[in-house]
Amino acid sequence: MIYISEVLLYTCFSILVGNQIIAFVPADKRPTIIVPNWLVNLFILGIAILSFSPVFEITLSFAKSYEVGFWTIFRGILLDFNIGHAWLITLFLSVVLLVIRMIKNMTSEPVLEYLTALFTFALILAFGWASHCTASYQLKGFIPHATHFFAVCVWIGTLIVVGWFSKNSNHWLAFLKWFSPVALICVITTVSAGFFLMNLLVPDYVNSWIVPYGQALLIKHLSIIPLLTFAFINGVLVKRKLKANPEFNPIPWVRAESMFALFVFSAMAVMGQQSPPENIAAIIQFEKPSALFQAFYQGQIEPNTTIGFGVTGTSILLAIIAMLFLFSSVLLFHKKFNSALATVFGLLFICSAYMGIMLGIR
């Protein structure tokens, strides 16, 4: 349940940020988009409730380990831990944001839209303050983590809002004219901040596959490849298609791209609840290695276990198959097939590439 709540939390953040961005875009530069006001408020409430889940889990764990009352531990976490401070701030900001939105709906004062944007950004910062990176590295971890998450929310949030709440595909070329460069900047920012975070938390990428965090990171990276492939389809190929055929409906392909964003969120959810592999030996000694890794690795796993990656005939074959699946997704767009089949091929790419990598470990 903790993983599901994390995925929902990332989704709530993304849609809230995406909806906020769309609010500043003129009507002639985007399709007709209607996100019900009650649903936006529900996403804000969801952020306040779902961000409490890690606090609750830690409280239960400490209360069980130290045999101290739940409320005593809970009060201590709220007052003495970053994650407790971050949740209190998140709760406060969520309430303020809801109040501002209520006033805005009654008065339609333009300045209130900027206030909602400001408090939405503050919620992103509060989320970053509760992260593993902040707890371990303070500002050195907080800044790249918050930057990474904000860039993801801008890119994916706008994508989800446009893909699932558009009533038509009017002004799509005008929408792509501003969104494509914004998405590109977000991708570059996400990748740059992600590499910086990896250098902090994952000093040995291949060996990290032994533990759950490393497995989730690998799956996340593989999921990003079809996500970027569909981003290329929606940002470049759709533009050409619309110029040749103005009646073409791009919305199903945007929705397909958003599905891979959810896979990335799922991997992020697992990573958020696992110990970062800064010290893999300690994780193996005091926690269990990844069950997925153990399904492929036949050797004995010890705290000092070191693995490598070797190219085999099977791994090469699976790599070729994976690339064929990815190429087929683009080909299906050209051949005007349904986006659902292209989505399935994207999933098959992830599975094939993952198996190819894991069968190459030694």
Side-chain angles (χ1 to χ4, degrees), residues 55-342:
V55 177
F56 182 71
E57 289 289 325
I58 293 174
T59 303
L60 285 181
S61 177
F62 280 16
K64 183 179 179 180
S65 299
Y66 297 102
E67 297 183 352
V68 179
F70 177 89
W71 292 109
T72 302
I73 294 291
F74 179 64
R75 184 170 61 252
I77 289 175
L78 289 184
L79 298 178
D80 301 326
F81 285 72
N82 271 359
I83 192 170
H85 299 162
W87 182 73
L88 288 175
I89 294 171
T90 297
L91 180 63
F92 171 75
L93 292 174
S94 298
V95 171
V96 172
L97 189 55
L98 285 171
V99 171
I100 292 174
R101 286 185 56 81
M102 289 174 59
I103 297 173
K104 182 170 72 71
N105 289 334
M106 290 186 293
T107 64
S108 299
E109 182 65 37
V111 71
L112 293 178
E113 196 68 69
Y114 292 94
L115 279 179
T116 59
L118 180 63
F119 279 93
T120 299
F121 181 68
L123 278 173
I124 296 285
L125 298 182
F127 175 84
W129 190 251
S131 68
H132 289 304
C133 298
T134 302
S136 300
Y137 299 98
Q138 298 303 310
L139 284 178
K140 186 180 179 181
F142 166 71
I143 293 174
H145 186 272
T147 301
H148 180 274
F149 189 63
F150 179 67
V152 168
C153 286
V154 171
W155 172 27
I156 302 302
T158 306
L159 189 76
I160 293 175
V161 169
V162 171
W164 294 94
F165 295 97
S166 292
K167 301 303 178 182
N168 52 50
S169 57
N170 296 344
H171 312 298
W172 202 269
L173 286 175
F175 162 69
L176 289 178
K177 187 174 182 180
W178 67 264
F179 179 66
S180 293
V182 167
L184 180 60
I185 292 171
C186 288
V187 169
I188 294 172
T189 303
T190 300
V191 171
S192 301
F195 273 117
F196 186 87
L197 292 172
M198 276 186 60
N199 288 331
L200 287 179
L201 301 176
V202 191
D204 191 337
Y205 182 60
V206 174
N207 276 326
S208 74
W209 299 344
I210 299 174
V211 298
Y213 187 103
Q215 283 287 308
L217 183 60
L218 174 60
I219 293 172
K220 174 188 173 182
H221 288 162
L222 293 176
S223 299
I224 288 173
I225 295 173
L227 174 62
L228 292 177
T229 301
F230 275 80
F232 171 74
I233 291 173
N234 286 314
V236 178
L237 301 185
V238 162
K239 187 182 297 185
R240 296 176 184 174
K241 181 79 72 173
L242 282 171
K243 288 179 179 178
N245 177 19
E247 301 301 317
F248 174 75
N249 181 16
I251 292 177
W253 291 90
V254 174
R255 291 179 177 178
E257 184 180 346
S258 70
M259 294 303 297
F260 287 101
L262 293 179
F263 293 129
V264 173
F265 284 169
S266 299
M268 290 170 59
V270 175
M271 292 164 59
Q273 300 304 314
Q274 300 294 333
S275 301
E278 298 163 282
N279 188 339
I280 298 173
I283 296 176
I284 295 173
Q285 184 175 358
F286 297 106
E287 302 177 23
K288 292 182 179 180
S290 166
L292 275 174
F293 178 81
Q294 290 177 299
F296 288 93
Y297 187 70
Q298 301 303 314
Q300 187 71 21
I301 303 175
E302 302 290 344
N304 61 349
T305 296
T306 300
I307 64 171
F309 179 76
V311 177
T312 66
T314 302
S315 63
I316 292 174
L317 177 61
L318 286 168
I320 293 172
I321 292 173
M323 294 310 299
L324 287 175
F325 280 131
L326 200 62
F327 175 75
S328 297
S329 297
V330 180
L331 186 62
L332 287 174
F333 175 81
H334 280 293
K335 297 300 180 181
K336 302 179 182 179
F337 273 77
N338 190 286
S339 62
L341 184 57

